[in-house]
């Protein structure tokens, strides 16, 4: 181990022992710390001095010789306990005395090395933490997970618009704090805060959790003692079995309470609330309250949480397994404000700024509603969010330790919510209870654990929390004393006493300037006679213990940051991390180590540590205010979207109306009165597999026009095609220009395919409403989809095509059939599945066709067989029969189209209009200040800015909301994460309604077919095409699910068409040619 290895690698973390003006470690080693020459290892004394300066977490650094599986000389140790890890081999146990033939390690050096964790092992700890987090989030493994990953049902961070008065009840270690905070909607920059502190009587911490009834007066409860002094600390054991003569009680009747019982915890908190409110002026009728309850709970709602277990000296009976929010709410509901405020004259006074002025009139009730429960970690996170960079992670390192973060809701499998994010309380103090930390535990840690009240539990917390660090140091010193390395000549029996050295003393000892003096004072107070060297070594041990705590916290934090980055699909995560707790606040180097090691362990994450300001109080108030804002937001959303959320009854009515309109459309006398035209197509059969030959096909149904050649052979169908654009000026110009353009495209295609000399049968897919008078004769009824070419409505489109061919002198054009895309889709799928007798299009527009019994088609002569009916159901509702389901948004969309009042059903369903419906809803939400913080969005005023394709993208399962935000930002919308959640909900609502309405229409079709054929159960296939059906991630699922509910006697199979409008038109021509053969 030569001097070439003595330079500090990246990752060295300096402790307070090193001043900025001190020489580097390598310099001290060569000079002050032992005079090592090149090629020689440092002396043990040098090692010891170096540890006084820093902790090394770099890779394989000789200053950190205790690498996994190595001794203090840095040489590899053979070990039967070695196991493979992601970072290489790692020893499973600490053998402090294990040495090789390298430089001798003193007991102090071995202790320091044992308490130091190298970066490689921290990476392993990070990986194990991430695995433990995944187990906690999984529904399958959650119950067995040590890192519980408890959902908090907090689904948003503050956005700065929160306003109003919020009350907080914070249960602390030895007191209850009541706080009232007024938020002004100014970004939470200048909240007004008033608070009071009430001491918790010991009996309330240990007594019954719920109110105890006793004596002859049912419902009696001891509420307090009319004696001066701190609340619950009256002479005569107020609240115990022996009472002062002036004790009083509230209850039913006038009978005495026999016997009196200890004041239950939740009634005590409720009385604190009442006492506090007695000094508040201008009270509101309703005050929302956030409850800070720092114990492990299973939350099922924001305001519903069952206590899992007590800790921190609390052990109230009868509370575990019960809803603590309901217990507090019940206690609050029992409180009244009397003539003398709370509990009568002289009732226990609060600590800190008590206000004796009572603003409440006798008998007046305060309606205090507990709306949110949280722990201190969540509150810490909430105080550190800014508009520019939300805080999504919090870390508390106090007597205990915990963390929380905003997880993608879809990965929190133990809750039903899949949209947005949810704050997860990791409860990571229990990490390692499954032995995952055994290979970093020292004998000192094991002794601390054994003498704790919960051996084998909270292993991570016992390495990190300030409640335990003093005892870790104490056990280390005790072991070193036994090895005669410390306190020689002193009686060290006192070191065997738990708590003899506390964490506050440890933090004072590691101080740069006063640490040595503090060490001497603390040790002499224990009756020890420390030497200067003893004080120095104690300081080194203290620094190692605190630094290890920071490094382990960093490993946990890096695991959280890495998990967030991975779950959101980010290359780099940038976020604030709120930090609070005694260790972080009292020891500045703790934060520096935490920041540095986190950066080393999570290099793809940029996390700024932000000190929390009153996370438990103000943070809880902000949580509560956010909950209220979200509740108001939810009411606005539900009210706005309610008309679009159709019930089963609504859909059954739509189904019945569709059936009614179908019957009217089929009747010769009633056809003109129906909004569903039920047009005969003169297609009398579907493909039977015997069709052969070459056919041309044209497909006109939107802004793109296709020409195809289709070759039907025994071994299948082969096609060649080309797409041609139809410019807007031609779509909305003259009919002659439109059909001349079509013929030009046909000629260009035939030239490229060397078909100019052949006369091939041609099938023409013309996807607009037509009245068909024959297989090759169709009169255009109206333009849709943005077309408005003049001179076409009321004309035979086949004849218009033929005339254009004559003008272009293209005489080799033989049109044998004209169909729309819906019929083509049915025919295309019918070639693959003989049961396909329905066609459905859900794309830019929507339509359906089906095989109807000829005897029911009153508009065509003939009784035998079947004929395909083109329903043209896009116009369903044009006669007003669907007005009851049209919303204001639908009307706005309709009014701005080129055909107001027409194609009403299509405007509820098809891709051409859904984006516009969403846009109008978003505008309404902005106006109600629900979206984009109520700021004007000029870009959103632009018509058609929100394309239907955005709905399909936004609703993709698993799409991170970061990507939803990106879509909205591309539209120049200043969308927050929360806005993304709401926009997704709007999209889901609009697309769900479209799918359900489509299902209602289709249910009418299949039920009619079943009844026509006298079947108890119909099995039929629907050939389906259209981008909305094919591309939207949920449309087809919603459609099929609702169809099963509305038509339970029909088994419907959906077969997606492959080029139905092209291949289908050719197959119509092929079937026509087959029927014409002798």
């Amino acid at each position: 181990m030569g001097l070439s290895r003595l330079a500090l690698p990246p990752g060295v973390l300096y402790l307070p022992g090193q001043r900025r003006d001190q020489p580097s470690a390598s310099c001290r080693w060569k000079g002050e710390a032992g005079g090592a020459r090149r090629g020689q290892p440092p002396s043990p004394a040098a090692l010891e001095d170096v540890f006084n300066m820093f902790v090394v977490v770099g890779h394989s650094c000789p200053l950190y010789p205790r690498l996994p599986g190595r001794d203090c000389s840095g040489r590899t140790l053979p070990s039967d306990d070695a196991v493979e890890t992601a970072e290489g081999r790692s020893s499973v146990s600490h053998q402090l005395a294990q040495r090789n033939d390298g430089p001798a390690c003193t007991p102090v050096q071995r202790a320091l090395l044992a308490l130091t964790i190298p970066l490689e092992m921290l990476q392993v700890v990070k990986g194990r933490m991430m695995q433990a987090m995944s187990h906690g989030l999984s529904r399958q493994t959650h119950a067995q997970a040590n890192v519980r990953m408890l959902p908090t049902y907090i689904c948003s961070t503050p956005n700065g618009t929160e306003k109003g008065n919020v009350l907080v009840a914070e249960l602390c270690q030895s007191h209850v704090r009541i706080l009232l905070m007024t938020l002004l909607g100014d970004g939470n920059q200048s909240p007004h805060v008033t608070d009071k502190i009430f001491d918790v009587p010991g009996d309330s911490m240990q007594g019954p959790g719920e109110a105890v009834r006793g004596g002859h007066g049912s419902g009696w409860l001891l509420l307090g003692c009319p004696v001066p002094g701190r609340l619950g600390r009256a002479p005569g054991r107020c609240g115990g079995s022996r009472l002062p003569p002036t004790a009083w009680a509230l209850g039913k009747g006038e009978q005495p309470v026999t016997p009196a019982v200890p004041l239950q915890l939740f009634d005590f908190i409720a009385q604190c609330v009442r006492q506090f409110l007695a000094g508040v002026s201008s009270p509101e009728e309703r005050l929302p309250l956030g409850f800070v309850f720092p114990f492990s709970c299973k939350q099922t709602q924001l305001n519903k949480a069952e206590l899992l277990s007590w800790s921190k000296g609390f052990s109230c009976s009868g509370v575990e397994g019960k809803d603590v929010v309901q217990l507090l709410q019940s206690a609050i509901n029992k409180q009244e404000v009397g003539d003398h405020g709370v509990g009568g004259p002289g009732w226990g006074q609060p600590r800190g700024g008590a206000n004796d002025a009572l603003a409440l009139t006798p008998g007046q009730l305060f309606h205090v509603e507990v709306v949110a429960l949280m722990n201190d970690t969540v509150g810490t996170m909430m105080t550190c969010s800014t508009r520019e960079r939300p805080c999504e992670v919090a870390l508390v390192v106090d007597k205990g330790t915990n963390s929380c973060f905003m997880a993608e809701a879809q990965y929190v499998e133990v809750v039903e919510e899949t949209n947005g994010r949810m704050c997860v309380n990791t409860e990571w103090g229990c990490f390692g209870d499954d032995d995952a930390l055994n290979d970093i535990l020292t004998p000192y840690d094991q002794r601390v654990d054994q003498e704790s009240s919960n051996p084998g539990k909270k292993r991570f917390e016992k390495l990190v929390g300030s409640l335990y660090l003093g005892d870790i140091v104490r056990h280390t010193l005790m072991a070193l004393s036994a090895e005669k390395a410390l306190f020689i000549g002193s009686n060290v029996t006192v070191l065997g006493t738990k708590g003899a050295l506390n964490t506050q003393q440890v933090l004072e000892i590691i101080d740069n300037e006063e640490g040595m003096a503090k060490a001497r004072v603390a040790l002499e107070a224990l009756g020890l006679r420390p030497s200067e060297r003893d004080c120095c070594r104690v300081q080194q041990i203290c620094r190692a213990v605190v630094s290890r705590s920071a490094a382990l916290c960093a490993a946990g934090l890096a695991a959280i940051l890495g998990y967030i980055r991975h779950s959101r699909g980010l290359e780099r995560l940038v976020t604030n991390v709120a930090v609070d707790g005694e260790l972080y606040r009292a020891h500045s180097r703790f934060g520096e180590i935490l920041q540095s090691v986190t950066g080393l362990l999570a290099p793809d994450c940029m996390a700024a540590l932000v000190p929390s300001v009153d996370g438990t109080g103000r943070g809880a108030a902000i949580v509560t205010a956010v909950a209220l804002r979200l509740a108001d937001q939810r009411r606005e959303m539900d009210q706005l979207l309610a008309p679009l959320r159709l019930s089963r009854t609504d859909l059954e009515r739509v189904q019945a109306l569709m059936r009614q309109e179908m019957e009217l459309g089929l009747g010769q006398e009633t056809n003109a009165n129906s909004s569903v035209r039920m047009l005969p197509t003169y297609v009398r059969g579907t493909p039977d597999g015997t069709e052969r030959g070459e056919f041309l096909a044209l497909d006109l149904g939107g802004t793109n026009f296709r020409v195809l050649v289709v070759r039907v052979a025994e071994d299948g169908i082969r096609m060649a095609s080309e797409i041609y654009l139809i410019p807007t000026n031609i779509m909305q110009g003259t009919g002659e220009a439109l059909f001349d353009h079509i013929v030009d495209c046909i000629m260009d295609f035939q030239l490229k395919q060397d078909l100019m000399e052949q006369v091939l049968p041609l099938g023409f897919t013309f996807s607009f409403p037509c009245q068909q008078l024959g297989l090759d004769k169709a009169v255009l009824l109206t333009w849709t989809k943005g077309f408005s070419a003049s001179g076409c409505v009321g004309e035979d489109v086949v004849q218009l095509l033929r005339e254009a061919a004559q003008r272009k002198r293209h005489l080799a054009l033989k049109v044998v059939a004209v169909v729309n895309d819906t019929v083509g889709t049915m025919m295309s799928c019918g070639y693959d599945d003989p049961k396909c007798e329905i066609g459905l299009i859900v794309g830019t527009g929507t339509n359906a066709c089906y095989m109807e019994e000829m005897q029911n088609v009153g508009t065509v002569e003939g009784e035998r067989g079947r004929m395909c009916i083109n329903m043209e159901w896009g116009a369903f509702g044009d006669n007003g029969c669907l007005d009851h389901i049209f919303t204001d948004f639908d009307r706005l969309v309709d009014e701005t189209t080129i055909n107001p009042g027409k194609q009403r059903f299509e405007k509820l369903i098809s891709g051409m209009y859904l984006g516009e419906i969403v846009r109008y809803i978003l505008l309404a939400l902005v106006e109600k200040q629900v979206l984009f913080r109520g700021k004007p969005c000029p870009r959103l005023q632009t018509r058609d800015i929100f394309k239907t394709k955005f709905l399909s993208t936004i609703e993709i399962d698993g799409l991170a909301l970061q990507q939803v935000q990106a879509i909205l930002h591309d539209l120049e919308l200043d969308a927050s994460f929360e806005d993304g959640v709401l926009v997704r909900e709007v999209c889901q609502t609009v697309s769900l309604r479209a799918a359900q309405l489509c299902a209602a229409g289709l249910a009418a079709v299949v039920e009619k077919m079943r009844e026509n054929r006298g079947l108890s159960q119909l099995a039929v296939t629907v050939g389906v095409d259209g981008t909305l059906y094919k591309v939207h991630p949920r449309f087809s699922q919603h459609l099929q699910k609702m169809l099963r509910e509305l038509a339970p006697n029909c088994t419907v199979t959906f077969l997606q068409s492959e080029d139905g409008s092209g291949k289908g038109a050719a197959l119509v021509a092929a079937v026509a040619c087959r029927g014409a053969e002798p």
Side-chain angles (χ1 to χ4, degrees):
M1 187 172 69
L3 288 178
S4 61
R5 296 184 61 200
L6 295 182
L8 292 178
V12 173
L13 298 181
Y14 292 90
L15 291 181
Q18 183 185 8
R19 299 190 306 271
R20 299 300 180 188
D21 57 348
Q22 284 180 324
S24 69
S26 56
C27 290
R28 288 196 60 183
W29 232 340
K30 290 183 286 185
E32 302 170 58
R37 296 188 300 275
R38 182 176 298 275
Q40 294 181 344
S43 68
L47 270 176
E48 191 170 314
D49 284 344
V50 166
F51 268 109
N52 190 34
M53 297 167 51
F54 49 74
V55 170
V56 180
V57 293
H59 295 269
S60 304
C61 177
L63 301 186
Y64 204 141
R66 194 196 146 266
L67 295 176
R70 301 187 180 187
D71 68 6
C72 61
S73 69
R75 300 187 179 183
T76 303
L77 290 173
S79 172
D80 294 334
D81 293 332
V83 295
E84 288 291 338
T85 71
E87 301 294 329
R89 292 183 63 79
S90 169
S91 66
V92 177
S93 62
H94 280 284
Q95 301 294 334
L96 297 184
Q98 193 170 32
R99 293 185 298 172
N100 208 314
D101 57 352
C105 286
T106 68
V108 173
Q109 291 164 9
R110 290 199 301 274
L112 290 170
L113 293 171
L115 291 166
T116 309
I117 306 175
L119 187 63
E120 292 92 335
M121 180 53 70
L122 289 173
Q123 287 282 12
V124 173
V125 172
K126 169 193 169 185
R128 292 172 184 169
M129 177 70 84
M130 290 184 73
Q131 186 177 28
M133 288 164 54
S134 297
H135 287 165
L137 289 170
S138 169
R139 183 178 288 108
Q140 287 73 28
T141 55
H142 174 78
Q144 295 78 38
N146 289 299
V147 180
R148 298 298 304 278
M149 305 299 285
L150 302 174
T152 66
Y153 296 86
I154 294 169
C155 299
S156 179
T157 53
N159 68 2
T161 65
E162 293 80 14
K163 61 176 65 175
N165 293 326
V166 179
L167 197 62
V168 171
E170 177 189 353
L171 178 59
C172 303
Q173 183 77 28
S174 59
H175 64 269
V176 170
R177 179 188 181 203
I178 308 298
L179 174 146
L180 180 66
M181 185 162 83
T182 302
L183 294 167
L184 305 176
D186 60 352
N188 303 329
Q189 297 300 309
S190 54
H192 176 71
V193 179
T194 304
D195 67 341
K196 294 179 183 178
I197 294 175
F198 302 84
D199 288 336
V200 178
D203 286 337
S204 291
M205 296 172 62
Q206 305 291 335
E210 293 187 89
V212 179
R213 299 173 184 237
H216 303 290
S218 176
W220 289 84
L221 174 70
L222 176 70
L223 290 180
C225 304
V227 293
R230 290 184 177 179
L231 180 62
R233 297 295 174 91
R237 292 172 58 198
C238 170
S241 58
R242 184 166 62 87
L243 299 175
T246 52
W248 56 273
L250 294 179
K252 296 181 180 178
E254 298 296 333
Q255 300 139 333
V257 179
T258 309
V261 298
L263 181 65
Q264 70 104 346
L265 179 63
F266 294 95
D267 275 348
F268 174 77
I269 298 172
Q271 289 183 19
C272 294
V273 171
R274 190 174 70 173
Q275 167 75 348
F276 176 83
L277 293 179
V280 176
S281 59
S282 303
E284 298 178 349
E285 291 184 2
R286 175 178 180 266
L287 264 179
L289 181 143
F291 185 21
V292 182
F293 190 70
F295 303 99
S296 182
C297 290
K298 178 184 177 182
Q299 252 180 295
T300 53
Q301 295 176 24
L302 186 58
N303 62 348
K304 185 177 178 63
E306 295 178 1
L307 175 65
L308 296 177
S309 62
W310 288 111
S311 60
K312 306 173 186 178
F314 283 75
S315 58
C316 299
S317 61
V319 180
E320 292 182 358
K322 293 188 177 180
D323 180 3
V324 294
V325 173
Q326 185 56 46
L327 291 176
L328 179 58
Q329 187 67 65
S330 298
I332 288 173
N333 292 345
K334 291 185 292 186
Q335 302 298 308
E336 290 186 7
V337 178
D339 293 336
H340 301 285
V342 179
W347 189 76
Q349 293 299 311
R351 286 195 280 126
N355 187 348
D356 295 329
L358 304 185
L360 303 182
T361 58
Q364 181 180 350
L365 293 177
F366 246 113
H367 181 53
V368 176
E369 180 183 358
V370 186
V371 301
L373 177 136
M374 70 229 71
N375 64 14
D376 51 354
T377 319
V378 177
T380 295
M381 182 182 74
M382 286 299 200
T383 61
C384 297
S385 275
T386 64
R387 172 69 185 94
E388 295 71 25
R389 187 187 293 180
C391 181
E392 298 185 285
V393 185
L395 169 65
V396 172
V397 196
D398 207 87
K399 289 183 172 59
T401 182
N402 197 15
S403 61
C404 68
F405 68 98
M406 297 299 292
E408 302 297 303
Q410 60 183 319
Y411 298 125
V412 186
E413 296 180 5
V414 292
V415 299
E416 297 301 321
E417 181 62 52
T418 58
N419 280 328
R421 291 177 186 154
M422 181 177 289
C423 180
V424 172
N425 170 25
T426 67
E427 290 292 339
W428 74 2
C430 295
F431 175 49
D433 289 3
D434 58 352
D435 300 334
L437 294 176
N438 277 11
D439 46 359
I440 65 170
L441 293 178
T442 68
Y444 325 127
D445 303 314
Q446 292 165 352
R447 289 168 193 145
V448 169
D449 177 59
Q450 289 163 6
E451 69 181 13
S452 69
S453 61
N454 55 349
K457 304 295 183 184
K458 299 264 187 179
R459 300 307 293 267
F460 188 69
E461 183 167 283
K462 289 171 184 174
L463 296 175
V464 169
S466 65
L467 187 63
Y468 305 96
L469 299 191
D471 282 325
I472 296 173
V473 171
R474 178 177 59 83
H475 277 291
T476 307
L477 300 184
M478 190 162 56
L480 291 174
S481 299
E483 294 188 71
K484 305 300 182 183
L486 288 177
F487 313 132
I488 297 172
S490 295
N491 182 354
V492 296
T493 306
V494 68
L495 293 177
T497 304
K498 183 179 178 181
L501 194 64
N502 61 49
T503 299
Q504 182 58 41
Q505 292 171 310
V506 170
L507 295 177
E508 292 173 351
I509 289 170
I510 64 178
D511 180 76
N512 274 343
E513 305 300 330
E514 304 293 333
M516 291 287 286
K518 294 289 186 181
R520 181 172 296 280
V521 169
L523 295 171
E524 289 178 348
L526 295 176
L528 303 173
R529 298 193 301 274
S531 66
E532 190 73 14
R533 191 170 183 81
D534 288 339
C535 293
C536 178
R537 288 170 171 175
V538 169
Q539 189 179 53
Q540 294 168 14
I541 295 297
C542 291
R543 286 175 174 166
V545 169
V546 174
S547 299
R548 184 183 65 161
S549 171
L552 285 171
C553 282
L557 178 56
I560 290 175
L561 297 173
Y563 181 88
I564 294 174
R565 186 184 70 83
H566 178 74
S567 65
R568 297 181 187 177
L570 301 175
E571 291 185 7
R572 185 170 181 80
L573 172 69
V574 179
T575 189
N576 284 347
V577 176
V579 192
D580 202 358
E582 178 184 10
L583 281 176
Y584 181 79
R585 291 193 304 265
H587 181 36
S588 62
R589 295 303 296 166
F590 188 98
E592 295 176 27
I593 295 171
L594 178 63
Q595 182 83 67
S596 299
V597 178
T598 301
L600 291 171
L601 296 175
D604 296 323
C605 303
M606 189 171 76
L609 302 185
V610 182
S612 174
V613 178
D614 191 12
T616 52
R618 296 190 184 198
I622 292 175
V623 169
T624 307
V626 169
L628 293 174
R629 175 174 60 79
L630 293 181
D632 290 341
Q633 189 180 82
R634 173 48 45 201
R635 281 191 292 271
E636 292 284 4
M637 283 284 289
D638 288 343
Q639 182 179 353
L640 203 69
L641 296 178
L644 290 96
R645 291 171 170 156
L646 303 179
S647 66
R648 173 74 176 270
T649 302
D650 293 330
L651 294 168
E652 288 173 345
R653 183 179 177 188
V654 171
Q655 178 183 354
L657 287 169
M658 176 67 84
R659 176 67 179 271
Q660 178 181 305
E661 293 293 298
M662 289 170 66
E663 300 290 358
L664 291 173
L666 288 171
Q668 186 172 8
E669 292 79 16
T670 56
N671 176 267
N673 299 324
S674 174
S675 61
V676 181
R677 300 301 300 274
M678 303 297 285
L679 304 173
T681 65
Y682 295 87
V683 173
R684 303 292 300 272
T686 54
D688 62 7
T690 64
E691 296 80 15
R692 301 288 184 273
E694 285 191 329
F695 306 91
L696 282 177
L698 312 181
D699 176 17
L700 176 63
T703 56
N704 292 328
F705 169 65
R706 285 192 309 149
V707 186
L708 308 88
V709 58
V710 180
R711 297 176 176 88
V712 185
E714 186 174 354
D715 60 348
I717 295 177
R718 293 183 298 277
M719 296 185 297
S721 66
E722 187 153 347
I723 297 175
Y724 297 90
L725 177 68
I726 301 180
T728 302
N729 63 313
I730 292 180
M731 290 171 59
Q732 299 175 2
T734 66
E736 283 191 3
L738 174 61
F739 282 92
D740 284 350
H741 178 71
I742 292 172
V743 172
D744 285 340
C745 296
I746 294 172
M747 293 172 65
D748 178 76
F749 178 78
Q750 286 186 288
L751 185 63
K752 291 177 179 177
Q753 295 291 325
D754 197 20
L755 297 173
M756 289 297 288
E757 303 302 321
Q758 298 186 47
V759 179
L760 300 177
L762 184 147
F764 184 13
T765 296
F766 188 74
S767 303
F768 300 92
C770 291
Q771 180 179 5
Q772 207 147 351
L773 304 178
L775 190 58
D776 62 347
K777 186 176 180 64
V779 176
L780 176 64
L781 297 176
T782 182
W783 283 116
T784 58
K785 306 173 189 177
F787 280 75
S788 59
S790 60
C792 297
V793 175
E795 300 293 330
D796 177 6
V797 294
V798 174
Q799 186 59 34
L800 292 175
L801 181 63
R802 288 169 176 160
E803 290 172 359
Q806 290 175 357
R807 287 194 296 273
K808 295 291 184 178
R809 301 184 181 279
H810 184 54
L811 304 180
L813 201 64
K814 180 185 177 183
V815 182
V816 298
V818 59
V819 297
N820 70 5
D821 53 352
T822 319
V823 177
T825 294
M826 183 188 75
M827 296 296 277
S828 173
C829 294
Y831 184 83
D832 300 314
D833 183 353
K835 288 185 180 179
C836 183
E837 296 184 274
I838 301 174
L840 173 66
I841 298 290
V842 194
T844 307
T846 184
N847 195 17
C849 68
Y850 72 103
M851 298 301 293
E852 177 61 88
E853 307 300 313
M854 277 294 297
Q855 61 186 0
N856 295 332
V857 185
T859 53
V860 175
E861 294 183 0
E863 297 287 326
R864 302 184 61 181
R866 295 172 182 156
M867 178 179 288
C868 180
I869 297 296
N870 170 25
M871 295 178 66
E872 289 297 341
W873 78 1
F876 177 40
D878 286 4
N879 59 1
C881 66
L882 290 181
D883 283 359
H884 65 286
I885 66 168
F886 275 80
T887 68
D888 292 340
F889 310 116
D890 301 316
R891 295 183 183 91
L892 286 169
V893 171
D894 178 52
E895 290 167 3
T896 56
T897 60
I898 61 174
N899 56 348
K902 304 294 183 184
Q903 298 295 114
R904 302 292 298 278
F905 192 59
E906 181 170 274
K907 290 170 184 174
L908 299 176
I909 291 178
S910 72
M912 188 169 188
Y913 304 101
L914 298 189
E916 274 295 275
I917 296 173
V918 168
R919 184 177 70 87
Y920 278 113
I921 295 173
L922 299 186
L923 283 171
L925 289 172
V926 171
E927 185 178 349
K928 291 179 176 289
Q929 297 191 336
V930 173
L931 271 183
F932 313 132
R933 291 161 303 284
K935 296 179 181 177
C937 298
R939 183 72 166 155
L940 206 53
Q941 299 285 348
T942 306
R943 183 180 170 187
D944 294 326
I945 188 66
F946 202 95
K947 304 292 184 184
T948 298
K949 68 178 182 180
F950 296 147
L951 274 77
S952 298
T953 303
I954 287 172
E955 293 188 56
I956 292 173
D957 287 339
L959 183 72
L961 282 160
Q962 217 97 7
Q963 294 168 271
V964 175
Q965 277 182 271
I967 293 171
L968 298 175
H969 288 161
D970 287 344
L971 297 174
E972 300 178 19
L973 301 175
D974 184 19
S976 65
F977 154 81
E978 189 177 299
D979 292 329
V981 175
L982 298 179
V983 170
R984 175 181 278 178
E985 182 179 353
V986 171
C987 293
Q988 290 170 336
T989 302
V990 170
S991 63
L992 174 63
R993 183 186 67 156
Q996 291 179 334
L997 286 172
C998 193
L1002 202 54
V1005 173
V1006 296
E1007 278 296 309
K1008 187 176 192 315
M1009 293 176 69
R1010 185 183 66 81
E1011 293 174 14
N1012 284 346
R1013 301 175 189 187
L1015 301 173
S1016 59
Q1017 190 77 25
L1018 173 71
V1020 67
T1021 296
V1022 177
V1024 61
D1025 204 353
T1027 53
L1028 187 58
Y1029 183 92
K1030 288 183 172 181
V1031 175
H1032 192 281
R1034 304 299 297 276
F1035 190 94
S1036 60
Q1037 299 172 35
H1038 292 319
L1039 167 59
Q1040 294 173 33
K1041 178 178 183 293
M1042 185 51 63
L1043 179 59
R1044 287 191 295 270
E1045 294 181 21
L1046 296 175
N1049 296 319
C1050 300
T1051 303
V1052 183
T1053 302
F1054 286 80
L1055 181 61
Q1056 287 194 27
S1057 170
E1058 296 180 6
D1059 194 15
S1061 53
K1063 183 173 76 172
L1067 285 169
V1068 171
V1071 171
C1073 292
R1074 184 195 71 195
E1077 293 175 356

